[in-house]
Amino acid sequence: MTQLVDYADAVRRFDPVLGIEVHVELGTRTKMFCPAEVEFGGDPNTQTTPVSLGLPGALPVVNGTAVEYAIRIGLALNCQIAESCRFARKNYFYPDVPKNFQTSQYDEPIAFDGWLDVELEDGTVHRVEIERAHMEEDAGKNTHVGGAAGRIHGADYSLVDYNRAGIPLVEIVTKPITGVGDRAPEVARAYVQALRDIFRALDVSEARMERGNVRADVNLSLRATPDAPLGTRTETKNVNSFRSVERAVRYEVSRQAAILDAGDTVVQETRHWHEDTGITTSGRVKSDAEDYRYFPEPDLVPVEPSREWVEEIRAGLPELPQAHRRRLQDEWGYADAEMRDVVNAGALDLIEATVAAGSSPAAARKWWMGELARRAKQDEVELADLAITPAQIGELQGLVDSGRINDKIARQVLDGVLAGEGDPEQVVVDRGLEIVSDDGALLSAIDEALAAQPDVVEKVRGGNQGPVGAIIGAVMKTTKGQADAKRVRELILERIGS
Amino acid sequence: MSTISRDEVARVAALARIELRPDELDRLAGELDVIVESIAKVSQVATPEVPATSHPLPMSNVFRPDVPEPALPVDDVLAGAPEAEDGRFAVPQILGEE
Amino acid sequence: MTDLTRLSAADLAQKLRRREVTSVEVTQAFLDRIAAVDGAVHAYLHVNAEEALATARDVDARREVGEELHPLAGVPIAVKDVVVTRGMPSTAGSKILEGWVPPYDATLVEKIRDARMPILGKTNMDEFAMGSSTEHSAYGNTHNPWDLERIPGGSGGGSAAALASFTAPLAIGTDTGGSIRQPGAVTGTVGVKPTYGSVSRYGLIALASSLDQAGPVTRTVMDSALLHELIGGHDPRDSTSIPEPLPALVEAAAQGAGGDLSGVRVGVVSQLQGEGYQEGVQARFTESLELLRRAGAEVVQVSCPHFEYALAAYYLILPAEASSNLAKFDGMRFGLRVEPEDGPVTAERVMAATRGAGFGDEVKRRIILGTYALSAGYYDAYYGSAQKVRTLIQQDFDAAFEQVDVLVSPTAPTTAFKLGEKLDDPLAMYLNDVATIPANLAGIPGISVPNGLAEPTDGGAAMPTGFQVLAPAKADDRLYRVGAALEAALEKSWGGPLLDRAPELG
């Protein structure tokens, strides 16, 4: 195999062009075309009907909620919503496709001509043009069984589970993404991540990458210059994490650059991404793969969303992630750089919840981006995975604000919460960390300190207040830092003056 | 219009996943002329300004509520399977799968 | 004692309601008749004796305790094998489905079961309903009860022959291009193709989704109306099902049987007669028109100029849809699985071997044709153009129905031909459907009513002919009114039903 070209070198000499197809499984209760209940993790073939099994005689009926979700997605991506669109049959033989055709949309998608502004980590915004978003159904799942292990002796075979077959999907297809240069991998990743955030905000999918709720196919081609015609592309299938999206693009850039450097031509093909080795390999090459013999699905009638319905859905759309971010930044008064850091650190939702629990935005940011970020880094976990909730941080900050503990004690309380000792209040009580502001208790400590340092008392009486600090220090030591230092000073001066 | 060649029939048969014997290929190559004739016939009147009808009665927006109904019992699901294992359909090796 | 098998379903239902007979007696009479004559006719692929009798016993017990029952409760029925029936084999006449027992019922079968009608069995048909003679069944020919050497029509030759041989009082058929009406015509029975969407397609093994429609196969027009009212109506499981209630069909049949067609305008389609129509068929048609005139109808000629393109459009649309509908028969999930004779056993090769071995010639022919019509680059020119012809044919119908209430023609251009005669000539076989196909393309309803006998051109005994009535979409009631009026007039002229003149069997 050809040696890969160093990425930086490749993007200096070639202009990468991206195209991304994202499939999202909708979070409807039932399938796209039949009322089989969809639940993650059911036993094989327990979530099927004659329709999703493709039994002879069965007929599809469109899930109205899935249509509504598709329209939501289309609107969130600034698309036009078709006045009339149809389903079509995409004919191809494969054991996980029970009818041997997939019911999809072909030349009449429900949504088309949209865009999405994607923000990179450094704040650069790139507009991704959306070609279309269309509805279709998922396939079943094949599990390969090796000849040695399986019951069919000496033969490789597969076991098929149709629980996933017929789950509603929306496929979002971009126009060619150009002008991204060396940032292609970042743009690809940020785009998929932005879509994931939108799906969640719209409440149309749990959008869990690790469950395959969101799957990306990444098309990539290289050309000599941005003016040159588009090069031959490859389509890398099922890239199922944000990090993989970025890595797969980098890998394909390096691989294709090597091919072009060698004077060869890139083969237009489907490639598979290998998470473990970080490379792509050539997929099946089938002569008839592209001849899907599409035709309008005669078992279904056109979908014609009324303009009233579309506007009703638009009016009901929740605030989308970008707008949400802008609003919070205004409300919180964060600088652009601060906000970006918060977003990049994955702390936005945590800070929002902390503020909701009563903390000031500044204090919330201080906690999550400071002490907690340090601890997360130290434990090599995500912020959200720390054993502390935004509500607990809110409570902790409340204790500081009310003067019951100080910043230094607050860190001890944090230790207690992270160690599973309960909520901050509980930790303060159990560990006896509350600031001592009871004059009686303080006075006995002060008297003790004064008695131990008569020379200091004399100096103070003589008008030199400098050494008072030594007395305060002694008092703080006996009270283990829990004394209110200001009050201690007042009491010392009163005592000496009397 | 020329008739459909034997090679063309073989290509289409592969697309349709039907194994045909040589004698079947020969016979079908001759019989498929009907489609060529049909096309010539409809082309006489299927002009661009005529709209296509994909569905005999005009209907639209037939939707189902997103309400679950009982699934087929798994025994029924697999009852007709040529081969099944562990609640799943056993099928021959799928090319290109790992 | 009356021969129960000779009675109409309406008469049987009345005798059951009056408790003059039990459902067990009726069901047993048909099972006995099947045992006696079906060896020669071969209308049935599967006889469901045990379950039918159990249903009969159950309905008798319920009637005994005065339970309110459907008017057709206890009347037996036969179901074309293209309709899925839980617990009964459903092969659609194909080897590829041999032994397959569906885990669910078609909607129309649920309705039959809910009405507590004993299901006598599954009837023979051309494989996947592709054919006009039932000779393309993988399980042997069905014979025309009028002349066992002749075809019973197709694809629903089994259902029609069951009615004509008195082995069922009612049957279900399906009609994609004439598969209910044409067998009705050549066997002297009544067959109705309802408006597309009038009867649910859920559970019909699909041939061409935009053309398929299930309907009644009976001996009288009234029986068809009764059965149509039972199996019709909206079904939320079929997206193409008509949401509005059915018109009053039984009422229309009763009105028509009164014999008065005053004010009814009848249009004779000029394109559906003349050349290609057998002399006797044409003669019977002309006589029937005269009867309609005498009943008060106004008969005029109308022209449907695009009908001449119907057959061509049909033979582009049907194979295209069928090629996709039949893709699921691949040996992976149900039915036959055949391994390749040599070479690696992969899913792809097993699918091809299974389909190569499991499908008959006509099915392969049409799948190849349809795959070709849809394959890269041809869609617009082929399927797309055919869909345009569909529009033109609909426009012809629309224009015609502005002038008249119903359109009429001979149902089939000829009487039943001999078994084997056209088997090697697909085009000649396709011509049988020339008069019935336009209704499927436009989605409108049609009925075939037996209207006499005609001498076959190749000699032998006279064979039945059929009279087709077509009505606008959703106006199925007009079929029953005109059909019943014609039936009454004809039976008056004959002095009894046409089937009384059929030869004795067995």
Side-chain angles (χ1 to χ4, degrees), chain A residues 28-35 37 44-48 50 53 55 61-65 67 86 93-95 142-144 151-152 156-162 274 284 286 288 291 293 298 301-305 309, chain B residues 11-18 52-78 80 83-98:
Chain A
T28 49
R29 293 182 66 198
T30 67
K31 292 186 177 180
M32 185 72 221
F33 301 114
C34 77
E37 188 160 15
N45 294 306
T46 54
Q47 297 169 18
T48 67
L53 277 177
L55 290 185
V61 184
V62 173
N63 182 337
T65 303
V67 175
R86 283 187 296 186
F93 286 85
Y94 208 70
N142 299 321
T143 308
H144 180 82
R151 285 184 210 163
I152 303 174
D156 282 7
Y157 61 104
S158 284
L159 296 175
V160 195
D161 169 14
Y162 292 103
H274 300 274
R284 281 176 301 149
K286 283 170 62 189
D288 58 35
D291 193 352
R293 290 159 285 138
V301 300
V303 174
E304 297 178 343
W309 190 33
Chain B
R11 179 188 75 83
V12 172
L15 202 51
R17 289 283 183 288
I18 299 182
T53 296
S54 62
H55 192 265
L57 300 188
M59 287 170 76
S60 65
N61 293 336
V62 175
F63 300 140
R64 174 176 62 73
D66 187 25
V67 178
E69 284 175 27
L72 263 188
V74 70
D75 289 346
D76 281 353
V77 169
L78 297 171
E83 237 163 327
E85 187 177 311
D86 298 336
R88 287 173 291 180
F89 293 85
V91 305
Q93 175 184 14
I94 300 165
L95 279 188
E97 260 207 348
E98 294 164 26

Side-chain angles (χ1 to χ4, degrees), chain A residues 248-272:
Chain A
V249 172
R250 284 183 81 92
Y251 180 82
E252 273 299 293
V253 168
S254 296
R255 189 186 69 86
Q256 292 188 17
I259 293 169
L260 296 173
D261 277 352
D264 293 335
T265 50
V266 173
V267 180
Q268 179 163 349
E269 63 180 352
T270 296
R271 298 186 66 82
H272 293 301

Side-chain angles (χ1 to χ4, degrees), chain B residues 8 11-12 16-17 19 24 27 31 39 41 47 50-51 53 55-57 59 76 80-81 83 90 93, chain C residues 86 196 240-241 308 333-334 337 346-348 352 355 361 364-365 368-369 372 375 381 387-388 391 394:
Chain B
E8 184 71 345
R11 179 188 75 83
V12 172
R17 289 283 183 288
E19 191 176 290
E24 288 181 305
R27 204 186 56 230
E31 288 176 347
I39 227 13
K41 185 84 182 170
T47 48
V50 179
T53 296
H55 192 265
L57 300 188
M59 287 170 76
D76 281 353
E83 237 163 327
Q93 175 184 14
Chain C
R86 191 183 167 87
Y196 183 84
T240 61
S241 171
E308 69 165 295
R333 288 161 299 279
F334 49 80
R337 178 183 287 183
T346 63
E348 191 176 34
R355 292 163 65 78
D361 289 345
K364 288 182 199 172
R365 173 171 26 229
I368 297 289
L369 228 124
Y372 178 78
S375 79
Q387 299 285 44
K388 291 182 173 200
T391 307
Q394 280 188 348

Side-chain angles (χ1 to χ4, degrees), chain B residues 59 62, chain C residues 197-201 233-236 238-244:
Chain B
M59 287 170 76
V62 175
Chain C
S198 177
V199 176
S200 171
R201 291 186 298 115
H234 183 243
D235 180 11
D238 174 359
S239 305
T240 61
S241 171
I242 296 170
E244 300 98 305

Side-chain angles (χ1 to χ4, degrees), chain C residues 283-343:
Chain C
R284 296 298 88 74
F285 179 67
T286 310
E287 290 159 17
S288 294
L289 286 179
E290 184 51 32
L291 290 178
L292 293 180
R293 264 192 216 100
R294 279 190 222 155
E298 181 195 340
V299 179
V300 298
Q301 291 281 323
V302 297
S303 176
C304 293
H306 295 100
F307 279 19
E308 69 165 295
Y309 305 98
L311 200 61
Y314 180 76
Y315 281 104
L316 292 169
I317 293 167
L318 181 140
E321 293 186 9
S323 70
S324 173
N325 283 332
L326 269 58
K328 64 178 56 151
F329 303 99
D330 64 358
M332 298 294 113
R333 288 161 299 279
F334 49 80
L336 186 72
R337 178 183 287 183
V338 175
E339 296 199 350
E341 278 174 18
D342 41 44

